[in-house]
Every structure is written in structure tokens, then in C-alpha cells.
Amino acid sequence: FFDQPLLLRTCRQEDLEMLPGVGPRMASAIIAVRERKGSLKGPADLLEIPGIGPATLQRIVPFVSFE
């Protein structure tokens, strides 16, 4: 699926939409939170996004990097 984890600080909406359980609306919300906060520092930041709960977070985390 991904050769390397997706860098959440620089990825595009199209990249986010490839994550399991993430569609256009959620990808836009991730980018909005990233822009508002300056970056996403860890999994807890993703839980601020409407539609991302513990189950979705577990599916996403193996494919992303917060570096």
C-alpha cells in the first residue's frame, strides 16, 4: 500500500484519501486541523478530527508518520 509511512505534516489531500477509512471530507478535516495547529504531533491530534475515533485511528496509524 505505502512503501513508507505518509508524512502528515506535508501530505496532500489525495494522499490522505488513500488511507483506510479516510474519504474526501475526513482528508479535508485532517488538513484543516494540521493548518490550524501548525502540525500534527501524534495520534491524539487525529482524535480531534470529527469521524476519527479509536477504531479508525487504529487503521490509520500504521500508515502515517508524525515526524
Side-chain angles (χ1 to χ4, degrees), residues 27-44:
S28 291
I30 292 170
I31 290 172
V33 169
R34 177 180 74 190
E35 289 174 352
R36 182 178 41 122
K37 293 182 78 117
S39 68
L40 299 170
K41 298 193 181 351

Side-chain angles (χ1 to χ4, degrees), residues 5-34:
L6 186 62
L7 295 173
L8 289 180
R9 65 182 161 95
T10 59
C11 64
R12 302 169 304 159
Q13 175 153 342
E14 297 81 20
D15 301 327
L16 289 168
E17 290 176 16
M18 292 190 294
L19 293 170
V22 176
R25 188 174 294 157
M26 192 177 297
S28 291
I30 292 170
I31 290 172
V33 169
R34 177 180 74 190

Side-chain angles (χ1 to χ4, degrees), residues 36-64:
R36 182 178 41 122
K37 293 182 78 117
S39 68
L40 299 170
K41 298 193 181 351
D45 289 340
L46 289 175
L47 290 173
E48 294 180 27
I49 297 159
I52 296 182
T56 303
L57 184 65
Q58 280 187 331
R59 288 194 312 258
I60 293 172
V61 167
F63 300 107
V64 299

